[in-house]
Amino acid sequence: MKTTVFCLSVLCGLVATQSLAQDATATGGGVHCTPTTAPVIPDGTRLYTRDGDLSQAGEYPREAKISAIEGQAQVDCQIGDDGGLTQCVVAAESRSGYGLGEGLAVTVLKWAQTDTSQPGHHAGDWLRFTTNWKLPGGQAAQQLAGSR
């Protein structure tokens, strides 16, 4: 199933919407995006690119799911000439080591598209995508309760 993330101008600013019963967070919460300045990317930082392996896009991050971890992630992504994203870098994760940022980067690289005629959405500009990963049906709470 294909998820489409569009950054649209609305009265409250910019938000990302998705057309899919199940969004990038597995249960809802959505992915939001706002224009941001180009990040300073230190040497050795992992960049995720559109031509990388995106086969797992849209799935809950594997390590986080195995460990019943929920949390927030932010990625900064550069807009390409066609309005798709060309590269992303993880800006923040509430729980490091579980792939929350990587999961968001891979998801938006595969599915995100923006209207390059909108201010702050031109080729070469950067967008910050934010999501709150939640396991379906309180799975994290159930797993924690079962471990006591």
Side-chain angles (χ1 to χ4, degrees):
M1 233 181 223
K2 184 175 179 179
T3 301
T4 304
V5 179
F6 288 98
C7 291
L8 304 170
S9 290
V10 294
L11 291 175
C12 300
L14 297 164
V15 297
T17 60
Q18 298 179 320
S19 59
L20 182 66
Q22 192 176 37
D23 71 10
T25 65
T27 62
V31 177
H32 302 278
C33 70
T34 57
T36 189
T37 58
V40 175
I41 303 172
D43 290 341
T45 299
R46 174 132 189 232
L47 283 176
Y48 301 91
T49 60
R50 188 179 355 186
D51 59 353
D53 179 14
L54 303 178
S55 61
Q56 297 300 313
E59 295 184 11
Y60 203 91
R62 187 176 188 280
E63 262 322 296
K65 188 172 187 178
I66 289 169
S67 302
I69 297 298
E70 298 179 334
Q72 295 177 338
Q74 293 181 332
V75 295
D76 292 339
C77 302
Q78 190 172 37
I79 302 169
D81 292 334
D82 63 356
L85 305 176
T86 58
Q87 62 181 346
C88 294
V89 62
V90 175
E93 295 174 297
S94 62
R95 304 281 304 265
S96 62
Y98 294 99
L100 300 173
E102 178 180 15
L104 179 57
V106 168
T107 299
V108 297
L109 276 167
K110 187 166 185 179
W111 304 118
Q113 185 75 24
T114 191
D115 179 355
T116 56
S117 69
Q118 297 295 317
H121 289 241
H122 301 113
D125 288 345
W126 289 78
L127 296 174
R128 174 162 289 173
F129 290 84
T130 305
T131 197
N132 189 22
W133 290 103
K134 295 273 189 197
L135 288 163
Q139 188 176 343
Q142 292 169 6
Q143 186 162 336
L144 288 173
S147 67
R148 291 183 185 162

